[in-house]
Amino acid sequence: MLPASARWSSPAFRSSAGLLFGLAVMFLYFLLLSVFMSAVGGIFNAALYRYACFKQVPPAFSQELIASAWAAKS
């Protein structure tokens, strides 16, 4: 893995085509990251809803994790 300064000084990023390619890769990365984080948040919210309504902790979650989400905030 190259350090950040070496990556930006590489010949691939000196041209506008390389810069556009890098921007496209960055856009796709952030798009996939936002989709993934939204899905993970939805799964956790569904687990919290199940706990709030039925007092059941889904098997994939620990009791401490779900219970701490309902703890009083200070």
Side-chain angles (χ1 to χ4, degrees), residues 5-66:
S5 60
R7 276 185 256 149
W8 288 108
S9 64
S10 71
F13 287 105
R14 287 187 190 153
S15 66
S16 61
L19 183 62
L20 289 176
F21 176 73
L23 288 174
V25 168
M26 182 182 71
F27 176 75
L28 288 175
Y29 171 76
F30 285 127
L31 180 68
L32 289 174
L33 183 66
S34 67
V35 167
F36 177 76
M37 292 303 295
S38 178
V40 169
I43 292 168
F44 187 67
N45 284 336
L48 289 177
Y49 177 79
R50 184 174 176 182
Y51 179 74
C53 290
F54 308 113
K55 300 296 183 208
Q56 295 176 349
V57 177
F61 295 92
S62 68
Q63 174 72 31
E64 295 82 25
L65 177 67
I66 298 296

